[in-house]
Amino acid sequence: VQLQASGGGLVQAGGSLRLSCTASRRTFSSLNMGWFRQAPGKERQFVAAISWNGGATYVSDSVKGRFTISRDNAENTVYLQMNSLKPEDAAVYYCAAGLQDYLPGLPFNTERRYNYWGQGTLVTVSS
């Protein structure tokens, strides 16, 4: 599975961006999808995830109420709508894909839950 993330860029604090991640796999609808981010000098952290059928979504407390994850299985794409951006949201954002039945006992906010990772897209937020 190849993942191509896009949509990053420079935005002022309070602004919005929508990230997209398109997967090469035909059976995209069987993949759990997640977004993680990594700021300079910091560990990669969970941002949001959506189950293979879109029936469950998860967001980290730090972005709750501001970020929304969604998916379009017909387009093999997962989205991360980011509103009310803050300077602390600046990071490289990575999308990740996990096979539906891969380590189902792990929560969605765990990196090990995901088999495939995209190259990342940079989000910069100016204050």
Side-chain angles (χ1 to χ4, degrees):
V1 177
Q2 292 186 331
L3 303 174
Q4 182 67 46
S6 61
L10 172 64
V11 64
Q12 287 188 333
S16 298
L17 280 176
R18 188 177 79 158
L19 305 184
S20 301
C21 175
T22 301
S24 63
R25 186 182 170 115
R26 289 184 181 181
T27 53
F28 173 79
S29 59
S30 67
L31 298 172
N32 298 312
M33 301 298 296
W35 286 98
F36 290 75
R37 67 186 182 187
Q38 187 169 23
K42 295 187 177 181
E43 293 186 353
R44 190 158 57 185
Q45 64 176 192
F46 169 76
V47 177
I50 187 166
S51 62
W52 61 276
N53 62 356
T57 59
Y58 309 87
V59 293
S60 69
D61 288 342
S62 62
V63 305
K64 193 168 294 183
R66 301 186 297 121
F67 291 12
T68 304
I69 188 170
S70 61
R71 66 189 297 157
D72 184 340
N73 287 347
E75 296 294 329
N76 285 10
T77 301
V78 62
Y79 302 99
L80 184 68
Q81 179 65 44
M82 306 187 296
N83 298 328
S84 302
L85 282 160
K86 303 176 181 180
E88 53 263 42
D89 294 319
V92 176
Y93 282 71
Y94 298 91
C95 67
L99 298 170
Q100 181 181 341
D101 56 356
Y102 181 72
L103 299 180
L106 293 181
F108 279 85
N109 61 358
T110 304
E111 289 191 26
R112 287 181 59 214
R113 186 71 191 267
Y114 300 91
N115 308 84
Y116 309 99
W117 292 82
Q119 86 290 358
T121 185
L122 178 64
V123 172
T124 304
V125 183
S126 63
S127 57

